[in-house]
Amino acid sequence: MAVRLLDLLYPTSCAVCDVGLKDGRTLCDDCGGDLPLLAEPFCESCGEMFEGKITGPFACPNCSHLKFAFEFARPAMPRDDRTLDLIHRLKYGREIHLAGELGRLASGAFADPRLSPALAGSWPLVPVPLHRKRLRHRHFNQAAEIARSLSAHTGLPVLDALHRIRETETQTHLKRQQRLENLRRAFSVSRHGHRWIESSPAGAVLIDDVLTTGSTVHECAGTLRRAGFRKVFVVTVMRG
């Protein structure tokens, strides 16, 4: 009854096609089913999807000579303008209700058998943090909101294990090496993170909205690994 009352007070519509919805959903079944999901073949390191016949695991040209601090990154979806619009509306339009749907979409990544150790071991979901200045401006961390929704779908706990201790230049127009330099020593492990590692150091799953070059999650994963986590996986909603 509470949900139905909220539907009456605050009627929702599909974030893609504007058809009316109920039960707190923000995507209709047609639009939700039409958004593309990551499908093989894709790079085992970064999740970049490729067309054509490729058999067996492979690394794309961008990753073949790189050594990431994380084991692998698994986006749930390839780049798509509709999905990117939902992410931008969450981040910049402050439509926080979209985090629930984006977390549901991200949960599809856990069909990948490589993520089974995280599910079996109840590894924590660690959102990529914002610097406190950006958090004050935005009022929320989109990665943390997505992680909370993802937690409801996977049963994995959310752990604020990282702080962003250095304000960095925006990454948007930087090349990969510039991004890596820009982020160097930008993160630290929180007290909550250290306490978790003391009792359960097996691994963690980093959560972010979009994976582009992998530089941010690489630096985050390196920080977690140096603090004691043995393995770090990465899950994002979309491959940029």
Side-chain angles (χ1 to χ4, degrees), residues 9-10 20 30 68 101 115 131 147 151 153 171 190 198 200 214:
L9 293 174
Y10 306 103
D30 288 342
F68 289 117
E101 206 68 63
L115 282 158
H131 188 269
S151 174
H153 290 282
Q171 300 274 89
S190 68
E198 287 175 4
S200 302

Side-chain angles (χ1 to χ4, degrees), residues 129-149:
L130 294 178
H131 188 269
R132 61 181 180 277
K133 286 187 178 179
R134 188 166 295 179
L135 188 60
R136 280 200 300 266
H137 173 74
R138 192 174 292 171
H139 302 298
F140 68 96
N141 176 6
Q142 75 280 355
E145 298 298 325
I146 292 169
R148 277 191 274 274
S149 171

Side-chain angles (χ1 to χ4, degrees), residues 57 86 100-101 199 208 219 228-229:
L86 295 176
E101 206 68 63
S199 59
D208 208 357
E219 187 66 26
F229 274 118

Side-chain angles (χ1 to χ4, degrees), residues 28-29 32 39 42-43 53 55 57 63 68 71 83 102 124 127 143 146 149 163 178 183 186 199 215 219 231:
C28 69
D29 290 339
F42 56 82
C43 172
K53 293 183 178 180
T55 58
C63 294
F68 289 117
E71 302 294 316
T83 308
L102 290 170
I146 292 169
S149 171
H163 292 310
Q178 292 173 317
L183 289 165
S199 59
S215 52
E219 187 66 26
K231 291 185 178 182

Side-chain angles (χ1 to χ4, degrees), residues 205-219:
V205 183
L206 271 171
I207 304 299
D208 208 357
D209 50 4
V210 179
L211 181 87
T212 307
T213 65
S215 52
T216 300
V217 287
H218 166 73
E219 187 66 26

